[in-house]
Amino acid sequence: MNTSLHNNVRNIYLLGFLNSFMVVNPVFVPLLQGHGLSMNQVLQTQALFALTVALFEVPSGYIADIWGRRRAMIAGGLFSALGFVCLLHADSFVDFLVYEVVLGIGVSLVSGADLALLYDTEVYLHEQGLGSGAGAGKSLSRLIAVEAAASGIAGVMASLLLLWSLQTVVLAQAIIGLMPLLLSLALVEVPRPA
């Protein structure tokens, strides 16, 4: 189990990278406009995503506390993967609204659960005398840096994928969007004091 907890740190960094590696973001407006959406409708999809995240942020934190952070992250990965499948097949305003809601729920479930699991893992390893990592504070800072780097790299990758087509970017995003679900299955819940 200690090896698995050590792997949590690496896996959470990878999850942070993959969740932030959104190759579809730089081309999202042209993608939606290519499906006939007006700029007003594009903004409405973004507003719905933000509203969904805001509405589900507190319940998702409660779910992570009750079910466990690992299960919340698995559920978040499942919703996100489902959202990207919806994006693959989206062709209308309503389809894109469905995508935004499903993805928003996924983002909400992962948001905070990843930080809490990373922090709990580092603290537990340190308390057990097994900590060889950066420590809780530095690990959280590194996760934020990894997520920022992923966003930048995703922008470059999107421009390369556009050499083929806009649909190639969406397909790549769907594949990338499945990886956090698979990786979250490898996470281990930190033992809680009785």
Side-chain angles (χ1 to χ4, degrees), residues 5 20 51 65 81 103 134 141 154 162-163 183:
L5 283 173
S20 297
L51 181 63
D65 288 341
L103 185 65
S141 297
L162 278 173
L163 294 172
L183 191 56

Side-chain angles (χ1 to χ4, degrees), residues 12-192:
I12 293 170
Y13 287 155
L14 283 170
L15 279 165
F17 183 88
L18 291 168
N19 284 326
S20 297
F21 196 79
M22 297 284 291
V23 293
V24 77
N25 278 358
V27 298
F28 198 67
V29 172
L31 173 69
L32 271 62
Q33 289 180 326
H35 285 280
L37 275 69
S38 68
M39 195 61 197
N40 187 32
Q41 289 173 317
V42 171
L43 294 175
Q44 288 174 8
T45 66
Q46 295 304 285
L48 183 60
F49 173 78
L51 181 63
T52 303
V53 171
L55 289 175
F56 283 92
E57 194 67 30
V58 171
S60 68
Y62 181 73
I63 288 169
D65 288 341
I66 299 300
W67 283 2
R69 286 142 173 84
R70 177 182 180 268
R71 287 183 181 153
M73 291 179 69
I74 291 170
L78 183 63
F79 272 95
S80 293
L82 181 61
F84 291 121
V85 169
C86 290
L87 180 62
L88 266 177
H89 302 288
D91 194 37
S92 69
F93 179 56
V94 172
D95 293 342
F96 287 108
L97 291 176
V98 170
Y99 156 72
E100 294 290 3
V101 169
V102 174
L103 185 65
I105 293 170
V107 167
S108 293
L109 284 164
V110 172
S111 172
D114 56 349
L115 297 173
L117 186 58
L118 178 61
Y119 182 84
D120 290 348
T121 299
E122 287 284 9
V123 167
Y124 181 82
L125 290 172
H126 178 73
E127 287 174 352
Q128 299 300 312
L130 304 168
S132 59
K138 283 187 180 179
S139 288
L140 295 176
S141 297
R142 287 181 181 172
L143 178 60
I144 293 167
V146 163
E147 291 170 346
S151 294
I153 295 168
V156 173
M157 182 61 76
S159 65
L160 294 173
L161 291 170
L162 278 173
L163 294 172
W164 285 274
S165 71
L166 197 53
Q167 194 59 31
T168 303
V169 177
V170 175
L171 179 60
Q173 184 63 66
I175 293 167
I176 294 163
L178 179 63
M179 291 178 190
L181 171 61
L182 301 175
L183 191 56
S184 64
L185 295 170
L187 295 172
V188 174
E189 195 71 44
V190 177
R192 295 187 185 189

